[in-house]
């Protein structure tokens, strides 16, 4: 039997306005590097106190460069402390997306560790329960701007 032509369809409903683009899922790590020669991190900046190990053992390991966790989002893409860079800009990001843009990075939840071969701090992945809670208004650009820190709570140790 021949097919009957279908009835004309009703005009399509007007398209809904598109929702704002959703922020990309953060990467586990990005490989960002902060090196000695090109680093803009001032060793005398009081912010460094947040990364110093404490206690007797901490004084010993600290002498060899061991420090509390510095997360990737604590440093801008050009190697400055993120909170200091945002404060110096005079502009307060109004969204999480704007914080990432202000620090010049894509969303990343990694942390820095010293890579002896490269001679630099390199952003790497997190290990469950192994990292310090160093995010606060002084160190974390998200908390500084009134947003939740991107570091997942499962990564924190019990300190």
């Amino acid at each position: 039997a021949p097919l009957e032509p279908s009835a004309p369809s009703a005009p399509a409903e007007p398209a809904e306005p598109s929702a704002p683009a959703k922020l990309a899922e953060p990467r586990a790590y990005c490989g960002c590097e902060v090196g000695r020669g090109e680093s803009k991190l001032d060793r005398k900046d009081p912010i460094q106190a947040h990364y110093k190990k404490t206690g007797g053992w901490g004084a010993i390991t600290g002498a060899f460069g061991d420090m509390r966790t510095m997360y990737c989002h604590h440093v801008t893409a050009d190697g400055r402390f993120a909170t200091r860079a945002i404060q110096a800009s005079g502009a307060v990001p109004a969204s999480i997306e704007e914080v990432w843009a202000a620090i010049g990075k894509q969303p990343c939840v990694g942390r820095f560790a010293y890579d002896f071969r490269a001679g630099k701090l390199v952003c790497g992945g997190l290990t469950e329960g192994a990292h310090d809670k160093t995010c606060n208004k002084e160190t974390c650009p998200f908390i500084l701007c009134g947003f939740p820190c991107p570091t997942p709570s499962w990564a924190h140790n019990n300190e």
Side-chain angles (χ1 to χ4, degrees):
L3 293 174
E4 304 250 343
S6 59
S9 59
E13 292 291 317
E16 297 269 334
S18 61
K22 185 177 181 221
L23 186 65
E25 276 297 310
R27 292 179 281 182
Y29 63 94
C30 67
C32 175
E33 298 180 348
V34 177
R36 289 179 198 225
E38 70 247 18
S39 176
K40 296 176 182 136
L41 302 180
D42 181 358
R43 290 170 98 31
K44 295 178 182 172
D45 189 315
I47 201 170
Q48 295 278 11
H50 295 282
Y51 304 110
K52 287 193 179 358
K53 295 270 187 178
T54 58
W57 189 246
I60 295 167
T61 60
F64 295 98
D66 190 21
M67 57 189 231
R68 297 183 77 218
T69 309
M70 179 183 288
Y71 295 97
C72 188
H73 65 273
H74 290 185
V75 179
T76 63
D78 66 355
R80 298 175 292 150
F81 285 117
T83 53
R84 299 285 193 249
I86 287 173
Q87 290 166 332
S89 77
V92 179
S95 68
I96 291 172
E97 294 85 355
E98 287 183 17
V99 176
W100 285 114
I103 66 174
K105 292 185 173 180
Q106 293 296 313
C108 171
V109 295
R111 54 73 182 127
F112 287 108
Y114 189 74
D115 182 318
F116 289 97
R117 282 183 268 185
K120 299 177 179 186
L121 292 172
V122 178
C123 176
L126 301 173
T127 302
E128 187 173 345
H131 306 287
D132 305 296
K133 294 179 185 175
T134 53
C135 291
N136 56 55
K137 283 185 177 186
E138 289 274 320
T139 61
C140 178
F142 295 91
I143 294 174
L144 174 71
C145 296
F147 301 107
C149 174
T151 304
S153 59
W154 56 259
H156 296 138
N157 58 27
N158 292 327
E159 282 186 24

